[in-house]
Amino acid sequence: MSEQGVRWTAEQVLALAPDAASRKAGSKLGAAGPWSETGSGEGTVWGLCKGSGSRPYQTVVDLADAAGPAYKCSCPSRKFPCKHALGLLLLWAGDDGAVPAAAQPPDWAGQWLASRRSRAGTKGTRGEGGPAAGPTDPEAARRRSERRAERVTAGATELEQRLADLLRGGLAAAEQAGYGLWDETAARMVDAQAPGLAARVRELGAIPASGAGWPARLLEECALLHLLDQGWLRRDRLPEALAATVRSRLGLPATPDGPPVRDRWLVLAQYDTADAKLTTRRIWLHGAGSGGTRLLLSYGAAGRAPELSLPVGLALEAELTAYPGSGQARAALGERFAPPAPAAFRPPGVTTVEAAARYGAALRDDPWLDSVPVTLGRVIPVPDGDRWQLADADTDTALPLSRAARSRPGLWRLVALSGGAPVTVFGECGHRGFTPLTAWPEEAGEAVPLC
C-alpha cells in the first residue's frame, strides 16, 4: 500500500488483468508518455491518460479497499480493470517518480472515492462480493427446497435409465450419436434443476472424439455419474458430510457453515473460467497460522469480470468460513481487517509423491474431485518427449503437467524462472496431471503468476 511505503510488483498488477488482451494493452500504457496529472495518497492512485479523443480518460484506483482494488475510468470499456487502470498501476508500481505523492486527489477522483467509501461504511462487509442476504420466510424456503428436491430426484432417476440404455446398447452408440444425445440429456437435467449433473453430462459428448482409449474414459465418467446419482437417491443413508458433498456436486445451493477462521491469508493464485453466461473466478488462499488452503469463488455476468479481485503474492487479514461437505476447500470471505499488502512468506512445499498421495486421500472424501491444491517444493520443469513434467530435484520422481498447462504461456515463464534450478510451485494436482498456477524462485523472491 502506498500509505505504508510498499508498492506492488508488476506481476501483481498484471495478475488483476481480466484477460490476455487487457494484460498486453495495459503493459503498453505502463510508461509515463500518455499520462499527466498523476498522483497517489491515502491508498489511492489517479491520473489522466491521453486517448483517441480530445479529452483524456480520468482513471482512479482505490487500493485501500479490504476486498481488493476498485477502479473508475471514464473510458467506455466494460472490462474491470480496464487497460488504463492497469497501465496506471504499472506506472505507480515502477516507483520512479512518475506517480508522485500528493496531499489531495483532484475533485473528480475525490468525489468518487468519498462516495465509494461512504457506501462501504453503510452496507457493511459482504461475503465473497455477493449481495447481503435479506430476511426470508422459513416455511416458504422449506417448500421451495422440497419442490427442488423432487425435481432433482426425477432428473437423477431419468439419467440412471439413460445410462443403463447406453450400456445395454453398447458404447459405440455414443460415438454415432455425437453431441445431440448428450445435449438433450443435459437440457433435461437443467429442467430438473441439477446444474451439476447437466455440466457432467455435457462433458460426456466430447469424450468419443478425444482420441484413442475413449471408451474406457467414457465408461469411467459414466460410472462417476452413476455414483453421483445413487448418492442423491440414497442420500438419507449417507454421513451428513458426504451428503453435503453430493448436494454440492449436483449444484444445489449451500451456505457457509462452522466457525470463522481468522488468519493472514496469502493469495496463492487467481484465474477465471468463462462460458456463454457466466465468468467464474477462483482465488486460492493459504493461511499463515492455520496452514490451510481455501478456495474463494466469485462470479460475473457474461462479458464482465467478477467483482472480487486479490492480486497474487499479497496477503490480507480476514475471516474465512468453510462450506459444508467432506473434503471441500471452498470458503466464504467474511470480515476483512486490513487491505491486501505484500507478504514475504510462502506455503511449505511437498514432494511429487506426497502430492499424488494427497490427491488419492482426498478422493475418499469426494470421489468426483478433479484436483487438489498442492505446493511442490524443489521441483524442476523438464521436457518428456513432446510433454513436460515437474521433477523432484532430490529424487527420481516427477508429476506430468496437464494438457491445459502445456498449452499456456505460463509454462515458459515457469521454465525461464527455473533456468534448470529448483523452484517452488503452487498448483492443482489431479488425474489429468499437475497444473502450475504460481511459482517462486528457490531463494527469496516474489511470486510469479503462471495463469
Side-chain angles (χ1 to χ4, degrees):
M1 305 302 303
S2 58
E3 66 269 29
Q4 297 170 328
V6 180
R7 295 177 185 256
W8 297 359
T9 66
E11 288 79 9
Q12 289 166 342
V13 172
L14 292 174
L16 297 169
D19 51 41
S22 298
R23 189 178 297 112
K24 182 177 181 180
S27 298
K28 293 180 179 179
L29 293 175
W35 292 96
S36 62
E37 299 183 29
T38 57
S40 65
E42 297 185 356
T44 311
V45 183
W46 62 84
L48 301 178
C49 186
K50 183 179 180 181
S52 57
S54 58
R55 301 182 63 180
Y57 296 123
Q58 298 174 337
T59 308
V60 57
V61 182
D62 181 7
L63 297 164
D65 193 318
Y71 319 93
K72 174 68 174 178
C73 186
S74 59
C75 75
S77 175
R78 296 182 61 193
K79 296 180 180 180
F80 293 95
C82 67
K83 62 181 181 180
H84 305 102
L86 290 170
L88 178 60
L89 285 177
L90 287 172
L91 191 66
W92 167 75
D95 196 16
D96 57 1
V99 183
Q104 292 291 335
D107 289 343
W108 57 268
Q111 291 172 2
W112 172 78
L113 186 64
S115 174
R116 174 177 174 78
R117 292 182 177 175
S118 175
R119 291 196 305 271
T122 58
K123 70 183 180 182
T125 302
R126 296 178 178 180
E128 291 191 275
T136 60
D137 180 352
E139 181 60 25
R142 184 189 64 80
R143 290 196 297 269
R144 287 194 300 271
S145 178
E146 289 179 350
R147 289 195 296 269
R148 181 167 189 176
E150 292 173 357
R151 295 191 184 98
V152 173
T153 297
T157 302
E158 179 180 347
L159 182 56
E160 282 291 277
Q161 184 60 53
R162 296 196 176 205
L163 290 175
D165 291 343
L166 172 66
L167 296 179
R168 191 178 300 112
L171 295 181
E175 185 178 26
Q176 298 168 1
Y179 283 96
L181 169 67
W182 305 113
D183 286 344
E184 192 269 335
T185 304
R188 295 288 294 166
M189 296 305 103
V190 171
D191 293 340
Q193 294 186 293
L197 287 180
R200 286 184 170 270
V201 167
R202 287 193 189 95
E203 291 176 357
L204 296 181
I207 295 178
S210 62
W214 70 263
R217 291 192 293 274
L218 180 59
L219 187 60
E220 290 171 358
E221 292 302 320
C222 287
L224 286 173
L225 259 179
H226 169 68
L227 184 64
L228 187 55
D229 275 344
Q230 290 299 314
W232 171 259
L233 296 173
R234 305 184 185 190
R235 61 193 180 279
D236 56 333
R237 307 181 194 179
L238 300 179
E240 177 52 37
L242 183 55
T245 298
V246 169
R247 291 193 294 269
S248 172
R249 291 300 178 188
L250 286 168
L252 302 185
T255 56
D257 187 21
V261 177
R262 179 171 177 173
D263 206 338
R264 190 162 181 244
W265 298 96
L266 174 66
V267 184
L268 294 175
Q270 173 177 294
Y271 67 95
D272 295 348
T273 57
D275 57 28
K277 296 182 179 180
L278 192 69
T279 298
T280 302
R281 174 164 294 164
R282 290 171 170 81
I283 303 176
W284 286 107
L285 304 177
H286 173 78
S290 64
T293 301
R294 295 292 179 261
L295 175 66
L296 302 182
L297 296 181
S298 186
Y299 302 97
R304 297 186 69 89
E307 180 179 346
L308 184 63
S309 183
L310 299 174
V312 174
L314 300 190
L316 68 158
E317 186 175 355
E319 290 182 340
L320 296 187
T321 303
Y323 278 80
S326 55
Q328 298 297 294
R330 187 185 175 191
L333 180 59
E335 183 175 358
R336 285 146 278 183
F337 304 96
F345 68 96
R346 63 180 68 172
V350 300
T351 66
T352 56
V353 171
E354 290 170 330
R358 186 172 295 182
Y359 176 58
L363 289 175
R364 292 198 298 264
D365 295 326
D366 184 353
W368 308 277
L369 192 64
D370 287 330
S371 61
V372 293
V374 173
T375 301
L376 298 176
R378 289 184 54 77
V379 291
I380 303 172
V382 295
D384 178 24
D386 59 349
R387 302 183 179 184
W388 283 81
Q389 59 185 5
L390 291 177
D392 276 313
D394 305 314
T395 68
D396 59 353
T397 60
L399 279 176
L401 293 188
S402 65
R403 179 180 297 180
R406 299 196 302 269
S407 64
R408 295 174 180 171
L411 169 60
W412 302 111
R413 289 201 295 272
L414 175 60
V415 172
L417 177 68
S418 167
V423 290
T424 299
V425 183
F426 169 77
E428 297 169 347
C429 180
H431 64 280
R432 296 184 178 92
F434 187 88
T435 303
L437 301 175
T438 305
W440 297 262
E442 186 175 23
E443 302 300 331
E446 302 287 348
V448 178
L450 305 174
C451 54

